[in-house]
């Protein structure tokens, strides 16, 4: 009976405090639009977000792809958008890279840049054998879809932080409940 009360108290704490804690964390993150994506090495890329607010500004980070660790974002032509640009390095390899922005209002935004291969994809004299393909293939990208555990493919920092906030709130509420109950016994 005591276990049922403890679990009920923990569940009620999650329900009561979970929705109020998660939006506060989720409100500090926004979406960063990256264009063009996919981009080729040497391409000028434009990023924009509404996270910085009207007439806001921020600093972007494209170091994941080998680009600048700091580039400016300034108000754009669209209302409440800030815009910045950087060049994809000529030696950038194919893949998906995270690009981040820190706004001067304290909010952050993230987006993905896909880089395609810059070459023409020639075979280069590969010999042909029965049952063998001579076409170039792309390496696999993304998470392994095993159907067991892991996070979803599209989960971002916002969802992870919201989940962590709910778990932390449940832990604090459960501890409080148990300590309160322990004082009476």
């Amino acid at each position: 009976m005591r276990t049922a009360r403890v679990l009920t108290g923990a569940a009620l704490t999650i329900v009561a405090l979970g929705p109020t804690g998660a939006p506060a964390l989720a409100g500090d993150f926004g979406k960063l639009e990256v264009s063009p994506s996919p981009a080729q090495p040497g391409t000028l890329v434009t990023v924009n977000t509404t996270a910085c607010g009207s007439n806001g500004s921020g600093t972007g980070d494209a170091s994941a792809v080998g680009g600048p660790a700091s580039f400016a974002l300034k108000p754009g032509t669209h209302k409440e958008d800030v815009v910045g640009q950087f060049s994809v390095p000529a030696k950038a390899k194919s893949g998906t890279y995270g690009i981040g922005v820190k706004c001067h209002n304290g909010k952050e935004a993230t987006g993905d840049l896909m880089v395609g291969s810059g070459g023409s994809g020639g075979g280069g004299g590969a010999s042909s054998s029965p049952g063998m393909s001579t076409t170039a293939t792309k390496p696999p990208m993304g998470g392994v879809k095993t159907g067991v555990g892991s996070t979803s493919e599209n989960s971002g920092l916002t969802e992870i932080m919201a989940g962590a906030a709910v778990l932390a709130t449940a832990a604090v509420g459960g501890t409080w409940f148990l300590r309160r109950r322990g004082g009476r016994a």
Side-chain angles (χ1 to χ4, degrees):
M1 183 70 170
R2 183 179 172 130
T3 303
R5 288 183 197 157
V6 171
L7 293 175
T8 302
L12 290 174
T13 302
I14 291 171
V15 170
L17 297 177
T20 59
L25 292 173
D28 290 341
F29 294 94
K31 181 178 179 181
L32 183 68
E33 295 180 17
V34 181
S35 175
S37 185
Q40 302 300 320
T43 303
L44 183 65
V45 174
T46 301
V47 298
N48 66 311
T49 184
T50 58
C52 297
S54 182
N55 295 318
S57 60
T59 304
D61 181 358
S63 59
V65 71
S70 177
F71 62 93
L73 280 88
K74 298 179 180 177
T77 57
H78 296 286
K79 187 177 183 180
E80 298 199 17
D81 269 2
V82 292
V83 179
Q85 293 184 319
F86 66 92
S87 291
V88 177
K91 294 181 180 181
K93 296 184 180 189
S94 295
T96 302
Y97 300 91
I99 307 299
V101 170
K102 289 187 179 183
C103 299
H104 293 130
N105 65 4
K107 294 187 178 185
E108 296 182 20
T110 58
D112 288 335
L113 168 67
M114 291 182 7
V115 176
S117 62
S120 59
S127 62
S128 180
S129 302
M132 300 289 289
S133 174
T134 59
T135 59
T137 59
K138 293 183 179 181
M141 294 178 8
V144 177
K145 295 180 184 177
T146 62
V148 179
S150 188
T151 59
S152 72
E153 189 173 312
N154 294 326
S155 66
L157 188 57
T158 302
E159 290 86 1
I160 293 169
M161 293 295 290
V166 169
L167 289 174
T169 303
V172 169
T175 302
W176 173 79
F177 183 79
L178 289 174
R179 287 191 180 245
R180 186 169 175 244
R181 295 286 298 171
R184 291 184 185 176

